[in-house]
Amino acid sequence: MNHERKDDELTSNMEDYLEVILNLQLEQRVARVKDVAQRLNVKMPSVTGAMKGLAEKGLVNYERYSYLTLTAAGEKIAQEIGERHKTFYNFLTKVLELDHKTADLDACRLEHATSRKTFDKIKEFTNNYNK
């Protein structure tokens, strides 16, 4: 029996936490619970609960009163989510010419709800799109 973690076991909220931690690490070198809470506009206990769950899945290194770091597996997922967000954002702004705020909100929704096949087609289309 295979007990490896599958990406589809993650909720969109869990994916958002991973993406935010990666972005914070890239921007400020470290991620803290309070920074994640502020970025996602949630309470610190919500972040703490999520970090415990992500740590159990082997995606985040979490200890109370310490910095948050992604494991190699967590970083890989966060990078994939970031790529999906960027691709959908570019599609929505360049191809559909949506405003930046709408595109960012919708890209966040699409990054979690779209199949790999659809994502790959949109990415290919957007990369080859010339207006």
Side-chain angles (χ1 to χ4, degrees):
M1 182 182 276
N2 187 350
H3 290 287
E4 289 182 0
R5 183 198 49 75
K6 293 172 25 182
D7 291 352
D8 60 356
E9 293 175 0
L10 296 178
T11 66
S12 60
N13 286 342
M14 290 174 158
E15 291 178 346
D16 285 341
Y17 281 112
L18 294 174
E19 186 179 18
V20 165
I21 293 168
L22 179 62
N23 289 337
L24 286 167
Q25 287 179 301
L26 293 172
E27 294 165 16
Q28 354 184 117
R29 297 179 51 122
V30 296
R32 298 175 297 197
V33 168
K34 73 176 191 174
D35 298 326
V36 174
Q38 184 177 30
R39 186 73 55 100
L40 290 172
N41 198 27
V42 297
K43 304 264 188 237
M44 286 182 31
S46 297
V47 177
T48 300
M51 292 309 104
K52 289 177 183 176
L54 290 168
E56 288 173 9
K57 291 183 176 293
L59 301 175
V60 172
N61 297 309
Y62 168 73
E63 290 183 35
R64 279 181 74 174
Y65 310 115
S66 185
Y67 296 121
L68 305 169
T69 58
L70 297 171
T71 64
E75 186 170 341
K76 181 177 184 235
I77 293 169
Q79 288 173 339
E80 289 170 3
I81 295 161
E83 178 191 14
R84 291 171 71 88
H85 185 98
K86 181 180 174 185
T87 297
F88 287 122
Y89 178 82
N90 288 338
F91 174 76
L92 295 169
T93 56
K94 292 178 181 176
V95 179
L96 301 184
E97 299 180 354
L98 290 173
D99 64 274
H100 295 287
K101 184 176 181 182
T102 301
D104 193 49
L105 290 170
D106 288 347
C108 192
R109 292 180 185 113
L110 289 167
E111 75 192 29
H112 304 296
T114 308
S115 71
R116 175 50 111 176
K117 184 176 182 178
T118 299
F119 167 74
D120 288 342
K121 291 288 188 180
I122 288 173
K123 181 178 178 181
E124 180 182 346
F125 178 84
T126 303
N127 289 343
N128 295 319
Y129 181 77
N130 293 314
K131 185 174 178 185

mmCIF file of all heavy atoms in Angstrom, residues 66-101:
data_model
loop_
_atom_site.group_PDB
_atom_site.id
_atom_site.type_symbol
_atom_site.label_atom_id
_atom_site.label_comp_id
_atom_site.label_asym_id
_atom_site.label_seq_id
_atom_site.Cartn_x
_atom_site.Cartn_y
_atom_site.Cartn_z
ATOM 1 N N SER A 66 8.817 29.909 16.833
ATOM 2 C CA SER A 66 9.954 29.838 15.920
ATOM 3 C C SER A 66 9.495 30.266 14.520
ATOM 4 O O SER A 66 8.311 30.457 14.273
ATOM 5 C CB SER A 66 10.500 28.416 15.888
ATOM 6 O OG SER A 66 11.659 28.355 15.099
ATOM 7 N N TYR A 67 10.440 30.398 13.635
ATOM 8 C CA TYR A 67 10.112 30.716 12.250
ATOM 9 C C TYR A 67 9.488 29.503 11.573
ATOM 10 O O TYR A 67 9.740 28.361 11.954
ATOM 11 C CB TYR A 67 11.369 31.128 11.476
ATOM 12 C CG TYR A 67 11.998 32.393 11.982
ATOM 13 C CD1 TYR A 67 13.305 32.396 12.441
ATOM 14 C CD2 TYR A 67 11.280 33.584 12.012
ATOM 15 C CE1 TYR A 67 13.888 33.561 12.912
ATOM 16 C CE2 TYR A 67 11.860 34.754 12.480
ATOM 17 C CZ TYR A 67 13.153 34.736 12.928
ATOM 18 O OH TYR A 67 13.728 35.891 13.395
ATOM 19 N N LEU A 68 8.712 29.773 10.538
ATOM 20 C CA LEU A 68 8.120 28.719 9.721
ATOM 21 C C LEU A 68 9.016 28.500 8.516
ATOM 22 O O LEU A 68 9.475 29.458 7.902
ATOM 23 C CB LEU A 68 6.734 29.146 9.232
ATOM 24 C CG LEU A 68 5.728 29.566 10.284
ATOM 25 C CD1 LEU A 68 4.518 30.206 9.625
ATOM 26 C CD2 LEU A 68 5.324 28.373 11.111
ATOM 27 N N THR A 69 9.258 27.262 8.192
ATOM 28 C CA THR A 69 10.001 26.956 6.974
ATOM 29 C C THR A 69 9.291 25.828 6.250
ATOM 30 O O THR A 69 8.625 24.993 6.861
ATOM 31 C CB THR A 69 11.459 26.533 7.271
ATOM 32 O OG1 THR A 69 11.459 25.390 8.135
ATOM 33 C CG2 THR A 69 12.242 27.668 7.901
ATOM 34 N N LEU A 70 9.450 25.831 4.953
ATOM 35 C CA LEU A 70 8.873 24.771 4.132
ATOM 36 C C LEU A 70 9.866 23.624 4.028
ATOM 37 O O LEU A 70 11.073 23.846 3.931
ATOM 38 C CB LEU A 70 8.574 25.297 2.730
ATOM 39 C CG LEU A 70 7.543 26.416 2.627
ATOM 40 C CD1 LEU A 70 7.516 26.977 1.211
ATOM 41 C CD2 LEU A 70 6.171 25.918 3.029
ATOM 42 N N THR A 71 9.346 22.417 4.026
ATOM 43 C CA THR A 71 10.186 21.267 3.707
ATOM 44 C C THR A 71 10.386 21.274 2.199
ATOM 45 O O THR A 71 9.758 22.066 1.475
ATOM 46 C CB THR A 71 9.506 19.950 4.127
ATOM 47 O OG1 THR A 71 8.308 19.801 3.351
ATOM 48 C CG2 THR A 71 9.197 19.920 5.620
ATOM 49 N N ALA A 72 11.223 20.403 1.700
ATOM 50 C CA ALA A 72 11.438 20.325 0.247
ATOM 51 C C ALA A 72 10.114 20.033 -0.467
ATOM 52 O O ALA A 72 9.800 20.637 -1.488
ATOM 53 C CB ALA A 72 12.480 19.261 -0.074
ATOM 54 N N ALA A 73 9.318 19.125 0.104
ATOM 55 C CA ALA A 73 8.020 18.791 -0.504
ATOM 56 C C ALA A 73 7.071 19.986 -0.447
ATOM 57 O O ALA A 73 6.358 20.270 -1.414
ATOM 58 C CB ALA A 73 7.398 17.589 0.206
ATOM 59 N N GLY A 74 7.064 20.702 0.670
ATOM 60 C CA GLY A 74 6.217 21.879 0.811
ATOM 61 C C GLY A 74 6.614 22.981 -0.149
ATOM 62 O O GLY A 74 5.767 23.651 -0.746
ATOM 63 N N GLU A 75 7.916 23.175 -0.315
ATOM 64 C CA GLU A 75 8.405 24.198 -1.236
ATOM 65 C C GLU A 75 8.030 23.866 -2.672
ATOM 66 O O GLU A 75 7.638 24.743 -3.449
ATOM 67 C CB GLU A 75 9.918 24.363 -1.109
ATOM 68 C CG GLU A 75 10.439 25.516 -1.935
ATOM 69 C CD GLU A 75 11.891 25.850 -1.651
ATOM 70 O OE1 GLU A 75 12.415 25.453 -0.594
ATOM 71 O OE2 GLU A 75 12.490 26.534 -2.493
ATOM 72 N N LYS A 76 8.126 22.603 -3.031
ATOM 73 C CA LYS A 76 7.761 22.184 -4.397
ATOM 74 C C LYS A 76 6.291 22.496 -4.671
ATOM 75 O O LYS A 76 5.949 23.051 -5.720
ATOM 76 C CB LYS A 76 8.035 20.689 -4.573
ATOM 77 C CG LYS A 76 7.716 20.182 -5.950
ATOM 78 C CD LYS A 76 8.068 18.710 -6.102
ATOM 79 C CE LYS A 76 7.832 18.275 -7.533
ATOM 80 N NZ LYS A 76 6.960 17.154 -7.664
ATOM 81 N N ILE A 77 5.423 22.165 -3.743
ATOM 82 C CA ILE A 77 3.994 22.443 -3.918
ATOM 83 C C ILE A 77 3.749 23.944 -3.974
ATOM 84 O O ILE A 77 3.006 24.432 -4.829
ATOM 85 C CB ILE A 77 3.167 21.784 -2.792
ATOM 86 C CG1 ILE A 77 3.243 20.264 -2.920
ATOM 87 C CG2 ILE A 77 1.711 22.257 -2.830
ATOM 88 C CD1 ILE A 77 2.697 19.518 -1.716
ATOM 89 N N ALA A 78 4.391 24.698 -3.087
ATOM 90 C CA ALA A 78 4.220 26.157 -3.062
ATOM 91 C C ALA A 78 4.665 26.782 -4.380
ATOM 92 O O ALA A 78 4.010 27.697 -4.894
ATOM 93 C CB ALA A 78 4.996 26.759 -1.891
ATOM 94 N N GLN A 79 5.756 26.302 -4.936
ATOM 95 C CA GLN A 79 6.232 26.829 -6.217
ATOM 96 C C GLN A 79 5.249 26.514 -7.341
ATOM 97 O O GLN A 79 4.997 27.347 -8.211
ATOM 98 C CB GLN A 79 7.622 26.276 -6.543
ATOM 99 C CG GLN A 79 8.700 26.864 -5.679
ATOM 100 C CD GLN A 79 10.058 26.211 -5.878
ATOM 101 O OE1 GLN A 79 10.168 25.082 -6.360
ATOM 102 N NE2 GLN A 79 11.104 26.912 -5.489
ATOM 103 N N GLU A 80 4.684 25.303 -7.322
ATOM 104 C CA GLU A 80 3.688 24.930 -8.330
ATOM 105 C C GLU A 80 2.451 25.813 -8.222
ATOM 106 O O GLU A 80 1.907 26.264 -9.238
ATOM 107 C CB GLU A 80 3.300 23.456 -8.179
ATOM 108 C CG GLU A 80 4.397 22.501 -8.585
ATOM 109 C CD GLU A 80 4.111 21.054 -8.212
ATOM 110 O OE1 GLU A 80 3.017 20.748 -7.678
ATOM 111 O OE2 GLU A 80 4.993 20.210 -8.452
ATOM 112 N N ILE A 81 2.016 26.083 -7.003
ATOM 113 C CA ILE A 81 0.846 26.933 -6.794
ATOM 114 C C ILE A 81 1.150 28.347 -7.272
ATOM 115 O O ILE A 81 0.330 28.981 -7.947
ATOM 116 C CB ILE A 81 0.424 26.931 -5.311
ATOM 117 C CG1 ILE A 81 -0.035 25.533 -4.903
ATOM 118 C CG2 ILE A 81 -0.690 27.943 -5.048
ATOM 119 C CD1 ILE A 81 -0.045 25.305 -3.411
ATOM 120 N N GLY A 82 2.339 28.838 -6.963
ATOM 121 C CA GLY A 82 2.749 30.157 -7.434
ATOM 122 C C GLY A 82 2.783 30.243 -8.945
ATOM 123 O O GLY A 82 2.360 31.249 -9.527
ATOM 124 N N GLU A 83 3.270 29.195 -9.595
ATOM 125 C CA GLU A 83 3.305 29.162 -11.054
ATOM 126 C C GLU A 83 1.884 29.178 -11.618
ATOM 127 O O GLU A 83 1.595 29.877 -12.596
ATOM 128 C CB GLU A 83 4.046 27.921 -11.558
ATOM 129 C CG GLU A 83 4.065 27.829 -13.077
ATOM 130 C CD GLU A 83 4.549 26.504 -13.627
ATOM 131 O OE1 GLU A 83 4.643 25.518 -12.875
ATOM 132 O OE2 GLU A 83 4.807 26.456 -14.837
ATOM 133 N N ARG A 84 0.997 28.419 -10.995
ATOM 134 C CA ARG A 84 -0.391 28.394 -11.452
ATOM 135 C C ARG A 84 -1.014 29.791 -11.309
ATOM 136 O O ARG A 84 -1.689 30.270 -12.222
ATOM 137 C CB ARG A 84 -1.190 27.357 -10.655
ATOM 138 C CG ARG A 84 -0.792 25.923 -10.969
ATOM 139 C CD ARG A 84 -1.435 24.916 -10.034
ATOM 140 N NE ARG A 84 -2.853 24.763 -10.263
ATOM 141 C CZ ARG A 84 -3.397 23.915 -11.138
ATOM 142 N NH1 ARG A 84 -2.623 23.145 -11.870
ATOM 143 N NH2 ARG A 84 -4.695 23.837 -11.276
ATOM 144 N N HIS A 85 -0.783 30.426 -10.161
ATOM 145 C CA HIS A 85 -1.348 31.753 -9.926
ATOM 146 C C HIS A 85 -0.841 32.738 -10.988
ATOM 147 O O HIS A 85 -1.622 33.473 -11.597
ATOM 148 C CB HIS A 85 -0.987 32.256 -8.526
ATOM 149 C CG HIS A 85 -1.639 33.551 -8.190
ATOM 150 N ND1 HIS A 85 -2.785 33.614 -7.440
ATOM 151 C CD2 HIS A 85 -1.326 34.832 -8.517
ATOM 152 C CE1 HIS A 85 -3.143 34.890 -7.320
ATOM 153 N NE2 HIS A 85 -2.265 35.647 -7.965
ATOM 154 N N LYS A 86 0.459 32.745 -11.215
ATOM 155 C CA LYS A 86 1.064 33.654 -12.188
ATOM 156 C C LYS A 86 0.511 33.402 -13.590
ATOM 157 O O LYS A 86 0.201 34.350 -14.321
ATOM 158 C CB LYS A 86 2.588 33.483 -12.172
ATOM 159 C CG LYS A 86 3.317 34.383 -13.128
ATOM 160 C CD LYS A 86 4.815 34.149 -13.048
ATOM 161 C CE LYS A 86 5.541 34.949 -14.110
ATOM 162 N NZ LYS A 86 6.969 34.664 -14.124
ATOM 163 N N THR A 87 0.387 32.146 -13.963
ATOM 164 C CA THR A 87 -0.127 31.802 -15.294
ATOM 165 C C THR A 87 -1.567 32.274 -15.464
ATOM 166 O O THR A 87 -1.912 32.891 -16.472
ATOM 167 C CB THR A 87 -0.022 30.283 -15.537
ATOM 168 O OG1 THR A 87 1.358 29.919 -15.514
ATOM 169 C CG2 THR A 87 -0.642 29.879 -16.859
ATOM 170 N N PHE A 88 -2.409 31.983 -14.472
ATOM 171 C CA PHE A 88 -3.806 32.418 -14.570
ATOM 172 C C PHE A 88 -3.908 33.939 -14.540
ATOM 173 O O PHE A 88 -4.701 34.529 -15.271
ATOM 174 C CB PHE A 88 -4.657 31.792 -13.467
ATOM 175 C CG PHE A 88 -4.933 30.334 -13.690
ATOM 176 C CD1 PHE A 88 -4.558 29.401 -12.753
ATOM 177 C CD2 PHE A 88 -5.555 29.894 -14.852
ATOM 178 C CE1 PHE A 88 -4.807 28.049 -12.966
ATOM 179 C CE2 PHE A 88 -5.805 28.550 -15.077
ATOM 180 C CZ PHE A 88 -5.427 27.617 -14.134
ATOM 181 N N TYR A 89 -3.104 34.577 -13.715
ATOM 182 C CA TYR A 89 -3.102 36.036 -13.645
ATOM 183 C C TYR A 89 -2.731 36.630 -15.008
ATOM 184 O O TYR A 89 -3.385 37.551 -15.500
ATOM 185 C CB TYR A 89 -2.130 36.515 -12.561
ATOM 186 C CG TYR A 89 -2.040 38.009 -12.459
ATOM 187 C CD1 TYR A 89 -2.984 38.729 -11.737
ATOM 188 C CD2 TYR A 89 -1.022 38.706 -13.105
ATOM 189 C CE1 TYR A 89 -2.915 40.115 -11.653
ATOM 190 C CE2 TYR A 89 -0.947 40.087 -13.032
ATOM 191 C CZ TYR A 89 -1.894 40.787 -12.304
ATOM 192 O OH TYR A 89 -1.836 42.147 -12.236
ATOM 193 N N ASN A 90 -1.681 36.101 -15.616
ATOM 194 C CA ASN A 90 -1.262 36.582 -16.935
ATOM 195 C C ASN A 90 -2.340 36.358 -17.985
ATOM 196 O O ASN A 90 -2.596 37.223 -18.827
ATOM 197 C CB ASN A 90 0.046 35.925 -17.370
ATOM 198 C CG ASN A 90 1.230 36.440 -16.596
ATOM 199 O OD1 ASN A 90 1.203 37.531 -16.029
ATOM 200 N ND2 ASN A 90 2.286 35.641 -16.530
ATOM 201 N N PHE A 91 -2.980 35.198 -17.947
ATOM 202 C CA PHE A 91 -4.071 34.910 -18.887
ATOM 203 C C PHE A 91 -5.210 35.915 -18.709
ATOM 204 O O PHE A 91 -5.721 36.476 -19.683
ATOM 205 C CB PHE A 91 -4.581 33.477 -18.680
ATOM 206 C CG PHE A 91 -5.789 33.138 -19.499
ATOM 207 C CD1 PHE A 91 -5.671 32.873 -20.857
ATOM 208 C CD2 PHE A 91 -7.041 33.085 -18.921
ATOM 209 C CE1 PHE A 91 -6.791 32.562 -21.622
ATOM 210 C CE2 PHE A 91 -8.167 32.774 -19.675
ATOM 211 C CZ PHE A 91 -8.037 32.513 -21.028
ATOM 212 N N LEU A 92 -5.594 36.152 -17.475
ATOM 213 C CA LEU A 92 -6.718 37.038 -17.194
ATOM 214 C C LEU A 92 -6.423 38.496 -17.537
ATOM 215 O O LEU A 92 -7.306 39.226 -17.982
ATOM 216 C CB LEU A 92 -7.139 36.902 -15.729
ATOM 217 C CG LEU A 92 -7.691 35.530 -15.338
ATOM 218 C CD1 LEU A 92 -7.824 35.412 -13.829
ATOM 219 C CD2 LEU A 92 -9.021 35.253 -16.023
ATOM 220 N N THR A 93 -5.176 38.924 -17.333
ATOM 221 C CA THR A 93 -4.843 40.324 -17.624
ATOM 222 C C THR A 93 -4.468 40.531 -19.087
ATOM 223 O O THR A 93 -4.908 41.498 -19.703
ATOM 224 C CB THR A 93 -3.700 40.841 -16.733
ATOM 225 O OG1 THR A 93 -2.562 39.993 -16.870
ATOM 226 C CG2 THR A 93 -4.137 40.932 -15.287
ATOM 227 N N LYS A 94 -3.665 39.650 -19.659
ATOM 228 C CA LYS A 94 -3.180 39.847 -21.030
ATOM 229 C C LYS A 94 -4.200 39.438 -22.090
ATOM 230 O O LYS A 94 -4.402 40.141 -23.067
ATOM 231 C CB LYS A 94 -1.886 39.067 -21.252
ATOM 232 C CG LYS A 94 -0.711 39.600 -20.462
ATOM 233 C CD LYS A 94 0.517 38.763 -20.697
ATOM 234 C CE LYS A 94 1.690 39.301 -19.884
ATOM 235 N NZ LYS A 94 2.863 38.446 -20.024
ATOM 236 N N VAL A 95 -4.805 38.274 -21.885
ATOM 237 C CA VAL A 95 -5.719 37.747 -22.893
ATOM 238 C C VAL A 95 -7.123 38.312 -22.707
ATOM 239 O O VAL A 95 -7.732 38.827 -23.645
ATOM 240 C CB VAL A 95 -5.747 36.200 -22.877
ATOM 241 C CG1 VAL A 95 -6.731 35.655 -23.908
ATOM 242 C CG2 VAL A 95 -4.341 35.643 -23.116
ATOM 243 N N LEU A 96 -7.642 38.230 -21.495
ATOM 244 C CA LEU A 96 -9.009 38.690 -21.235
ATOM 245 C C LEU A 96 -9.081 40.165 -20.853
ATOM 246 O O LEU A 96 -10.170 40.719 -20.750
ATOM 247 C CB LEU A 96 -9.647 37.832 -20.143
ATOM 248 C CG LEU A 96 -9.746 36.330 -20.441
ATOM 249 C CD1 LEU A 96 -10.488 35.619 -19.321
ATOM 250 C CD2 LEU A 96 -10.411 36.072 -21.786
ATOM 251 N N GLU A 97 -7.912 40.768 -20.617
ATOM 252 C CA GLU A 97 -7.804 42.196 -20.291
ATOM 253 C C GLU A 97 -8.628 42.606 -19.068
ATOM 254 O O GLU A 97 -9.234 43.679 -19.032
ATOM 255 C CB GLU A 97 -8.163 43.053 -21.506
ATOM 256 C CG GLU A 97 -7.232 42.808 -22.676
ATOM 257 C CD GLU A 97 -7.547 43.646 -23.896
ATOM 258 O OE1 GLU A 97 -8.571 44.359 -23.905
ATOM 259 O OE2 GLU A 97 -6.755 43.577 -24.858
ATOM 260 N N LEU A 98 -8.629 41.752 -18.058
ATOM 261 C CA LEU A 98 -9.286 42.092 -16.795
ATOM 262 C C LEU A 98 -8.393 43.022 -15.980
ATOM 263 O O LEU A 98 -7.169 43.016 -16.145
ATOM 264 C CB LEU A 98 -9.568 40.828 -15.981
ATOM 265 C CG LEU A 98 -10.651 39.901 -16.544
ATOM 266 C CD1 LEU A 98 -10.703 38.612 -15.744
ATOM 267 C CD2 LEU A 98 -12.003 40.589 -16.547
ATOM 268 N N ASP A 99 -9.002 43.796 -15.100
ATOM 269 C CA ASP A 99 -8.222 44.655 -14.226
ATOM 270 C C ASP A 99 -7.411 43.792 -13.260
ATOM 271 O O ASP A 99 -7.733 42.631 -13.020
ATOM 272 C CB ASP A 99 -9.133 45.634 -13.461
ATOM 273 C CG ASP A 99 -10.070 44.912 -12.526
ATOM 274 O OD1 ASP A 99 -11.169 44.493 -12.987
ATOM 275 O OD2 ASP A 99 -9.721 44.742 -11.339
ATOM 276 N N HIS A 100 -6.366 44.390 -12.707
ATOM 277 C CA HIS A 100 -5.415 43.633 -11.884
ATOM 278 C C HIS A 100 -6.063 43.048 -10.627
ATOM 279 O O HIS A 100 -5.764 41.919 -10.247
ATOM 280 C CB HIS A 100 -4.214 44.507 -11.521
ATOM 281 C CG HIS A 100 -3.419 44.892 -12.721
ATOM 282 N ND1 HIS A 100 -2.622 44.019 -13.407
ATOM 283 C CD2 HIS A 100 -3.325 46.069 -13.398
ATOM 284 C CE1 HIS A 100 -2.063 44.615 -14.439
ATOM 285 N NE2 HIS A 100 -2.475 45.868 -14.456
ATOM 286 N N LYS A 101 -6.922 43.792 -9.967
ATOM 287 C CA LYS A 101 -7.544 43.297 -8.736
ATOM 288 C C LYS A 101 -8.436 42.084 -9.014
ATOM 289 O O LYS A 101 -8.338 41.068 -8.331
ATOM 290 C CB LYS A 101 -8.355 44.418 -8.075
ATOM 291 C CG LYS A 101 -8.954 44.020 -6.752
ATOM 292 C CD LYS A 101 -9.670 45.185 -6.087
ATOM 293 C CE LYS A 101 -10.230 44.749 -4.744
ATOM 294 N NZ LYS A 101 -10.958 45.830 -4.085
#
